[in-house]
Amino acid sequence: MEYVVKNIWSEIDNGKIMDFAVGYKKFLEVGITERVIVTMLEKEAKSKGFVDITGVDELKLGQGFYLNHRNKSFFMGVINEDLKNGLRLLGSHIDSPRLDLKQQPIYESEGMALFKTHYYGGIKKYQWVTMPLALEGVVYRKDGSKLELSIGRGKDDPVFTITDLLPHLAAEQMDKKAGKVIEGEKLNVLIGSIPLVEGDKDPSVKKGILAYLSKEYDLDEEDFLRAELEILPNLPPRDVGFDRSMIGGYGQDDRICSYAIMKGFFDCENKDSNLLACFFDKEEIGSNGDTGAQSRVLEYLLEMLIAKTGMSASPLGVFFKSRGLSADVSAVDDSSFDGVFDKYNRGRMGYGPIVSKYSGSRGKYDANDASAELLAYVMNVLDENKVMYQFGELGKVDLGGGGTIASYLSQLGMEVVDLGTGLLSMHSPFEVASKADLYMTYMAYRAFLEN
Ligand code: MN
Ligand code: MN
């Protein structure tokens, strides 16, 4: 029989889909950085009675636990049975492409003060100019005190921006290749223009800004060396389309899957299996560093779980018996950019989360290539629970590709396959997703944990 994939909107109650998206829009609006999302997840886990695994000597079966890993990545779960039976794991990431401030960011030129930035993750640099931007992150003062900065998103806040050249003078710029139209060193953020006048010294806009930062926040220029500050698109999430069927907003890669995991995990009614939800940092720059999926944080967590439940198992033994979904976004076909997808193997908007057997690029290089056995298992779970989903490859074979945390989870010994929502305009300041696909992604994650 022919394999047919159906459009979700025509098959299920549209009210359920619309209702589910309301909470997601709030999550996306508040959860603007990985640090903020960790705080939100921790608050949510605590309110449901979960305990900080580092703060207890013993963990009882059925007791929810969490690990806040350096305020950048987050893990929560429940051990319901012998760890030797493995885990059901869902893993997403909570970092998104953005601009980070350089360590010595402030300078002045032509009567303006600006921030130097270094972009984080794969962006099209030309998309980040001439729009309102927000500043978010943390700074430590010399005395050790911590300052959390969030400027731009409040109703009366000032915003920041990166300028572009007027078309009248852009003849040379317009002849450049897209990657060179705006170069990395031109992503400079406008932050002020009133000079400080001190005696006979030359008036200085930079000093004007430093005086403001000192007065308002007790910050010195040196404090920016002890900081992680991000420049982000300042566009609140909005419904897209006359029919409000889509959501537009920044950071949906991969906060849409993160939200679906959080909801699926808390709504799941499985009291018999071991469940773990993971929210990693640093995916967008290769899952590196102490808070990325290539770090050994999962082994560390497993060591604690084994010790605190008093079970006899090894982390490796647990991983080898575990199954996981790598919950990261994929792309849906965009007819305005015809020809980049294989039309027989691409994701489409409104047809459900996309299962990707493999990722990688140019001949599956660097891919996690899930087994037929795992696909049989996952498809059976989804079908039994009436989850609508589709299979898709990220673009034509020789055009490009990408990786997810799937390969790092599978290197630990787990069976893992990618399953996540498809986006339009991925990695742009305003990514677009279907509310129907969001809802079905949640249903898929919940079904995977429950069955
Ligand atoms: Mn992603
Ligand atoms: Mn990405």
Side-chain angles (χ1 to χ4, degrees):
M1 207 166 59
E2 197 184 11
Y3 174 62
V4 182
V5 189
K6 289 182 181 156
N7 189 302
I8 297 165
W9 294 102
S10 328
E11 298 295 316
I12 69 160
D13 174 10
N14 290 2
K16 270 191 200 163
I17 296 173
M18 293 297 189
D19 288 349
F20 189 80
V22 175
Y24 170 57
K25 259 198 313 189
K26 287 204 189 100
F27 179 85
L28 197 59
E29 180 160 11
V30 179
I32 192 123
T33 66
E34 55 277 37
R35 284 177 187 264
V36 175
I37 294 173
V38 167
T39 306
M40 291 163 75
L41 291 169
E42 182 167 7
K43 196 172 153 219
E44 199 73 25
K46 269 188 184 160
S47 77
K48 298 224 159 29
F50 284 46
V51 297
D52 178 350
I53 187 72
T54 63
V56 293
D57 295 328
E58 234 181 274
L59 185 73
K60 292 203 172 64
L61 288 190
Q63 168 66 54
F65 65 86
Y66 68 85
L67 172 66
N68 171 344
H69 182 49
R70 296 175 183 161
N71 302 313
K72 305 283 266 309
S73 56
F74 191 82
F75 307 84
M76 58 185 176
V78 192
I79 304 306
N80 284 314
E81 59 168 337
D82 195 335
L83 275 162
K84 282 199 182 107
N85 297 330
L87 304 161
R88 293 172 190 205
L89 179 147
L90 297 173
S92 68
H93 67 92
I94 50 177
D95 61 318
S96 292
R98 61 177 189 250
L99 309 178
D100 286 339
L101 289 200
K102 289 195 186 185
Q103 292 314 103
Q104 300 173 85
I106 310 171
Y107 73 101
E108 98 172 83
S109 181
E110 301 299 328
M112 290 170 267
L114 301 107
F115 277 147
K116 297 294 297 179
T117 66
H118 195 137
Y119 60 94
Y120 172 100
I123 62 165
K124 289 177 163 178
K125 296 183 281 279
Y126 65 79
Q127 291 176 337
W128 291 68
V129 298
T130 64
M131 64 183 302
L133 300 167
L135 174 68
E136 300 278 338
V138 296
V139 192
Y140 283 89
R141 302 184 188 93
K142 196 170 192 143
D143 65 7
S145 59
K146 176 183 177 181
L147 175 67
E148 291 187 38
L149 274 180
S150 173
I151 304 168
R153 292 192 296 140
K155 200 161 64 75
D156 298 320
D157 282 8
V159 300
F160 309 97
T161 195
I162 298 170
T163 54
D164 195 3
L165 191 56
L166 61 166
H168 317 64
L169 298 177
E172 282 181 15
Q173 184 196 32
M174 298 302 278
D175 282 341
K176 290 182 179 171
K177 286 190 171 173
K180 298 264 181 189
V181 168
I182 300 289
E183 293 183 74
E185 290 296 348
K186 292 205 167 56
L187 292 171
N188 302 318
V189 182
L190 190 55
I191 58 168
S193 66
I194 303 178
L196 179 78
V197 183
E198 282 178 312
D200 325 331
K201 289 187 204 155
D202 284 343
S204 161
V205 182
K206 178 178 170 181
K207 284 186 181 156
I209 292 297
L210 290 175
Y212 173 82
L213 291 171
S214 170
K215 183 166 157 268
E216 201 69 21
Y217 300 108
D218 191 21
L219 278 186
D220 287 332
E221 187 173 18
E222 185 192 301
D223 297 333
F224 283 85
L225 297 168
R226 288 180 286 263
E228 283 185 300
L229 291 167
E230 307 180 2
I231 295 287
L232 306 168
N234 199 356
L235 307 167
R238 301 294 295 261
D239 287 344
V240 174
F242 288 114
D243 57 9
R244 297 180 176 265
S245 59
M246 297 162 281
I247 290 175
Y250 164 72
Q252 301 206 63
D253 175 4
D254 184 30
R255 290 156 193 171
I256 193 164
C257 296
S258 301
Y259 182 76
I261 288 185
M262 181 186 83
K263 295 296 280 182
F265 179 82
F266 286 131
D267 291 350
C268 156
E269 285 172 2
N270 187 341
K271 301 262 186 287
D272 302 319
S273 314
N274 300 323
L275 312 174
L276 185 64
C278 311
F279 306 84
F280 285 101
D281 181 30
K282 295 283 179 282
E283 194 277 343
E284 294 294 356
I285 57 168
S287 296
N288 296 297
D290 59 318
T291 50
Q294 293 203 63
S295 77
R296 299 178 68 180
V297 62
L298 279 184
E299 287 162 83
Y300 168 70
L301 174 58
L302 255 294
E303 278 188 5
M304 277 195 288
L305 292 176
I306 290 163
K308 294 183 182 194
T309 52
M311 292 183 188
S312 60
S314 71
L316 203 56
V318 179
F319 292 139
F320 271 71
K321 295 291 280 182
S322 298
R323 287 189 179 121
L325 295 181
S326 160
D328 204 347
V329 297
S330 186
V332 288
D333 198 358
D334 183 342
S335 64
S336 298
F337 300 94
D338 235 2
V340 299
F341 288 90
D342 161 13
K343 67 175 179 177
Y344 306 108
N345 288 281
R346 92 295 199 201
R348 281 185 293 167
M349 177 170 275
Y351 288 77
I354 299 168
V355 182
S356 302
K357 180 179 186 295
Y358 45 84
S359 49
S361 54
R362 295 174 185 85
K364 297 193 178 182
Y365 200 81
D366 271 338
N368 169 63
D369 196 351
S371 69
E373 287 78 6
L374 181 64
L375 289 173
Y377 171 81
V378 171
M379 288 175 71
N380 184 49
V381 167
L382 300 179
D383 292 340
E384 290 281 306
N385 291 278
K386 301 196 165 46
V387 177
M388 299 174 71
Y389 60 96
Q390 56 184 330
F391 275 72
E393 265 188 43
L394 189 66
K396 279 187 176 164
V397 175
D398 284 332
L399 278 186
T404 63
I405 61 167
S407 33
Y408 309 118
L409 297 178
S410 60
Q411 280 166 22
L412 294 171
M414 285 175 230
E415 291 183 275
V416 183
V417 65
D418 277 293
L419 188 152
T421 324
L423 297 183
L424 293 169
S425 305
M426 194 199 292
H427 284 200
S428 80
F430 197 72
E431 300 171 314
V432 177
S434 155
K435 291 182 181 177
D437 293 338
L438 163 66
Y439 179 71
M440 275 300 166
T441 305
Y442 153 77
M443 294 289 281
Y445 295 160
R446 186 174 164 178
F448 181 79
L449 293 179
E450 262 173 0
N451 295 277

